[in-house]
Amino acid sequence: MTTPDGQQNAAAASGDTALGENASEGTGGYDGEAATLSTALEARTAFSGDRSAVSVGEYFQAYRNRIRGGDLGALPALAGLVVLVVVFAALRWSTFTSASNFANLLTQAASITVLAMGVGFVLLLGEIDLSAGVIGGVGASISAQLIDKQGMPWWVTVIIAVAVGLAMGVLTGFLVTIVGIPSFVVTLAFFLAWQGVLLAIASEGGSIPDTNPVIFGLTHSSVSLLWSWVIVIAAIVVWAAYVAVTAQRRARQGLAQPPLTVQLLKVGGVGLLAVLATAALSINRALIGKPDQGIPWIVPIVGVLLVIWTFVQSRTQFGRFVYAVGGNKEAARRAGIRVPRIIIACFVISSGMAVFSGIIEGSRIGSVTASSGTGNQLLFAVAAAVIGGTSLFGGRGKARDAIIGGLVIALIPNGLGLITDSSVWTYIITGAVLLLAASVDAITRRRRASSGR
Amino acid sequence: MTSTQEPILELRGVNKSFGAVQVLHDVHLALYPGQVTALVGDNGAGKSTLVKCIAGIHQIDNGDYLFNGSPVHVTGPRDAAGLGIEIVYQDLALCDNLDIVQNMFLGREMKSGVVLDEAHMENRAKETLASLSVRTVSSVRQLVSSLSGGQRQTVAIAKAVLWNSKVVMLDEPTAALGVAQTRQVLDLVRRLADNGLAVMLISHNMNDVKEVSDRITPLYLGRVAADVAAADVTTGQIVELITTGRSGDIGLSRALAQESA
């Protein structure tokens, strides 16, 4: 009997042949006997997708196969965005494409986007959080009331409001995991219960004005022209550098990745859009008096949130656990993941982000009322995430889905508002777009299942 | 190829009851490095309970649990994993929405600081798959949902051997597989043993058992009926041991077999 050691080495050696690239490229192997030939053929299939150098052509071929296989990513949402922009621009060129309307659109999308980013974590688990909108309203009312009545500094009130939101998230998570009530029921109950709390804080029928210049300024004032450009250029440069450095490191370690040209083209494309948007926002939007130009403050803030949550989802162990729990709870449990903790954490993130969203919405409207966040806000956020490509079945979705979907959701009332005064079509078209997104999700899931993705 | 070596894992006189029902009676079991031991038995014979006792999911009522010759107390799955015992469950426990590397390291991700160390994980996953001579996977970054049944089983097994494990227990690894894929997995099982691991294979398929295992341990109503070298028995004898607890002069004594029934 051979020693285990010797056998291991032999196995490792044959493994090396499988990994080696030269074995597949050299023609020498094909001249030999049948055994050599079969080894060479095997070597071609083993990890062939993991080669470090993939040509641009091969990459696009693989990308086309992915799309055919039903892995569309953000493509449908981006296409929808383009279609809506083209239609509205064609119908109302002068008003829709004006700089002030563009700034408007961004601030309108902000609160839905932030809410959708948070709720996205709960959706990744395959759960739902119906209470997030109202939690946002409660948080906003607490912040506004403390500023208005107690004269507290704005940042103290924001911390208190977020803390309350986090506590609400812990409570939801506790009831879902420890007690075991379905999240739909728990959050539906809180959707109602927190409305009572909101009513008590905001006093029936009353409205709390958002008087603080910082909070009001989130959506109503802009970064100075110079800093707008500095932020945008710096962001693009840092992103490109990050992509290049990561690519180099992966290449050094012989790991597969999309070709650098493709990655840089992506950065360049998004960067170009950002530059064009900044150029549009550099136009003076004020009709009279003090000039109003630059990027609205809320835009870089949402950008920072996007970077943070993207990092958490794709680069940290916690993010990995969230996807695992959303994909297969039992597998996650057996892998030693404390599933209840992950679920509670996601509800906490959702509630915390909801408070930010509520404060942003209060800032945009200029006041917080007893009905803040109780309307369609949450449903729009869920719709935004789904339109962006997040699956309601859990396990699929990214923070950026909230941005793309939030823009689509905000674009519809924005554009239609310029065409007609009635909200009739806004609701119908928003519903239709959501249905369309859900159908795309359902159909591509079938294709994914049949093509095994 | 017999018991000249020390067993890496050994159970002596293990009993386990759930309330009034005694599931395992005085079980003796030994797993040797470099050997495949097949655990066979009818439904309800106690195979799963035995595996769960070894894995620490259930605790044994009494008897000795020896690892590397010294008695150990296994009170939870983490203890078992700490000793180097890994279990590949029947329903695989893989996440479809994650890729091969992510699945293999799930719950034990390598990190540098707070950031996941993808490069190291990817390379180690490749090395492990290569050491098992797995050549049917085109990329370790493929989603598990895109893999065939055999490939998924392969990933699950590779996940178990990634951690320098010493004992791997496979629960019905070929139950849902086609002919070619079964071949693949059986080859892999053999290779694990050849790499020096102690392998326990739980299976209903006598052909698989005969083909791949060195020793066979039939379980009959919670008792170990025999512990025989695979070469010494015929398939018919194994089936007899499974269904009646005895076959000719091997197996439980007539009295014991009847008492159990």
Side-chain angles (χ1 to χ4, degrees), chain A residues 47 49-50 315 317 320 452, chain B residues 109 116 118 137-140 146:
Chain A
F47 308 130
D50 288 332
R315 294 271 177 274
Q317 195 174 34
R320 182 65 42 83
Chain B
E109 283 82 359
L116 293 173
E118 298 286 353
V137 175
S138 69
S139 166
V140 288
S146 72

Side-chain angles (χ1 to χ4, degrees), chain A residues 1 4 7-8 11-12 14-15 18-19 42 45-50 250 253-256 311 314-317 320-321 323-324 326-328 331-332 334-338 395 452-453, chain B residues 1 34 78 89 91 93-95 97-98 102 106-109 111 114-116 118-119 121-123 126 129-131 133-135 137-141 143 145-147 159 194-196:
Chain A
M1 176 173 164
Q7 299 228 355
Q8 214 149 20
S14 68
L19 282 168
E42 269 177 350
T45 51
F47 308 130
S48 62
D50 288 332
R250 283 185 68 87
Q253 283 158 330
L255 299 173
F311 173 80
S314 60
R315 294 271 177 274
T316 68
Q317 195 174 34
R320 182 65 42 83
F321 286 0
Y323 284 98
N328 186 344
R334 286 188 191 165
I337 297 171
R338 295 194 171 86
R453 273 189 185 275
Chain B
M1 289 283 276
R78 275 162 206 274
Y89 291 100
D91 46 357
L94 297 176
C95 291
N97 59 333
L98 299 182
Q102 291 170 340
L106 190 59
R108 300 186 257 197
E109 283 82 359
K111 288 182 285 187
V114 291
V115 185
L116 293 173
E118 298 286 353
M121 290 196 275
E122 193 169 324
N123 280 330
K126 264 192 228 172
L129 287 170
S131 76
S133 301
V134 173
R135 292 208 185 81
V137 175
S138 69
S139 166
V140 288
R141 285 296 178 187
L143 292 186
S145 59
S146 72
L147 300 179
K159 180 182 179 180
D194 292 344
N195 281 6

